[in-house]
Amino acid sequence: MTAKILDGNALAQKLRADFKTRAEALAARGTRPGLAVILVGEDPASQVYVRNKVAACEKAGFHSEKIVYAPDVAPQVVLDRIAELNADPKIHGILVQLPLPKHFDSDAVLEAIAVEKDVDGFHAENVGALMQGQPRFIPCTPYGVMKFFEEAGVDLKGKEAVVIGRSNIVGKPMAMLLLHAGATVTVCHSQTQDLLFHTRRADVLVAAIGKPKFVTAAMVKPGAVVIDVGINRLPDGKLCGDVDFDGVKEVAAAITPVPGGVGPMTITMLLANTLEAAERAAQ
Ligand code: NAD
């Protein structure tokens, strides 16, 4: 079997065209969606992510502000800026690029963002709302993954879904979304004893580990839908996911590539959340 390739660029393009139309309609009524992105430090990967987020906003007709601080900035300076952005009517979404430098209390920074502008969905109140099945904002990466299932017509009800990874930004919210969609969910992590036992019975397998080509064909149930969240840089400079794409595509029914899979969908869902925040503010 050769898997259907779930094309994140094509899906992102389709959704972004719709967001652009919605943003124009909103702007015509006096509200242009606005996103502020805060970057602390000079981490090269974070710089690329922030640049891509701001560029995507501009392309979609959103207002955007990029706020950059030196790595040794005092946390209070950032907190004061967040307070200003919370009160700024031009800004509907505020995103702090993670990870923050070690002298920051990341949780305190995320909690400082107004819940109605927390477009990453990382504020504890928004995490709680997601857990209760009434999300205000769905974290962008798992939100993008759910869009793949929707687009491919994958009915999650009653499916065995296995998520590898339990981070706050990917694994945990992913598991919660799959659970709410009716799947039976198993979350595996670095202390899982028999990973193969779990992955081999997954109808839907989501890999968010951060280890290149970790998931091999032998770990995948024939006919499974495999979503690769990982972004890893190989010694030759090329990007690859957490899934051994060439091997797994021969076993799976559908698979996301890296690059061109989940990555473009993450930014797309950031636009979705910012647009929703602006639409709510305009009401
Ligand atoms: P993380 O480091 O916070 O979490 C990794 C998880 O993998 C942990 O929960 C850990 O328990 C688990 N893990 C590690 N080794 C394991 C093993 N041997 N067996 C089973 N589980 C194991 O990472 P994260 O922030 O969740 O990101 C995961 C990956 O996804 C990274 O490659 C990251 O770059 C990527 N990512 C991509 C996007 C995107 O837009 N595509 C967004 C966020 C993260």
Side-chain angles (χ1 to χ4, degrees):
M1 179 190 291
T2 297
K4 179 181 180 199
I5 310 299
L6 304 173
D7 184 342
N9 285 321
L11 182 54
Q13 215 175 353
K14 186 169 114 180
L15 293 174
R16 288 185 201 192
D18 172 51
F19 299 158
K20 191 160 193 248
T21 311
R22 273 167 62 192
E24 280 163 3
L26 196 61
R29 285 186 274 128
T31 305
R32 189 166 171 224
L35 176 73
V37 184
I38 297 176
L39 172 64
V40 182
E42 288 149 2
D43 175 60
S46 292
Q47 284 175 334
V48 173
Y49 293 144
V50 166
R51 200 185 316 134
N52 290 345
K53 286 168 186 174
V54 170
C57 272
E58 279 161 15
K59 229 172 151 188
F62 293 15
H63 166 70
S64 68
E65 288 180 28
K66 181 172 134 186
I67 301 151
V68 181
Y69 292 105
D72 59 353
V73 67
Q76 193 56 48
V77 172
V78 177
L79 292 171
D80 288 347
R81 189 75 175 99
I82 290 174
E84 283 170 24
L85 294 166
N86 283 342
D88 184 343
K90 291 194 304 304
I91 296 299
H92 306 98
I94 303 168
L95 179 155
V96 177
Q97 185 65 42
L98 299 175
L100 286 165
K102 288 202 165 41
H103 66 290
F104 273 80
D105 174 350
S106 298
D107 288 339
V109 172
L110 296 177
E111 302 304 298
I113 298 172
V115 287
E116 69 278 7
K117 297 192 177 187
D118 170 39
V119 284
D120 257 340
F122 296 159
H123 190 292
E125 193 178 318
N126 285 329
V127 173
L130 174 68
M131 182 110 182
Q132 288 177 329
Q134 290 167 339
R136 189 186 276 114
F137 295 110
I138 300 173
C140 303
T141 300
Y143 195 2
V145 173
M146 294 306 281
K147 288 284 168 190
F148 278 112
F149 298 135
E150 202 180 299
E151 179 74 3
V154 177
D155 182 3
L156 293 161
K157 281 191 210 77
K159 295 275 161 49
E160 288 291 335
V162 173
V163 179
I164 318 178
R166 58 173 164 182
S167 70
N168 288 338
I169 60 172
V170 188
K172 282 186 208 159
M174 187 73 252
M176 207 47 66
L177 292 172
L178 290 163
L179 187 62
H180 291 316
T184 301
V185 183
T186 304
V187 182
C188 298
H189 48 80
S190 53
Q191 275 128 37
T192 297
Q193 288 292 317
D194 188 351
L195 188 61
L196 193 66
F197 164 77
H198 296 288
T199 61
R200 282 285 299 174
R201 55 179 185 78
D203 302 311
V204 170
L205 182 62
V206 181
I209 311 155
K211 296 199 165 145
K213 304 186 187 183
F214 182 89
V215 175
T216 59
M219 295 168 74
V220 174
K221 176 179 173 180
V225 176
V226 179
I227 306 285
D228 190 353
V229 177
I231 302 177
N232 308 289
R233 200 164 285 283
L234 296 170
D236 65 5
K238 286 195 184 133
L239 286 183
C240 85
D242 290 345
V243 175
D244 174 22
F245 181 83
D246 290 336
V248 173
K249 79 172 182 344
E250 300 305 326
V251 180
I255 186 170
T256 58
V258 178
V262 175
M265 286 303 294
T266 294
I267 298 190
T268 301
M269 301 328 287
L270 174 65
L271 297 177
N273 282 345
T274 305
L275 181 58
E276 262 176 51
E279 286 173 342
R280 282 181 210 144
Q283 269 168 14

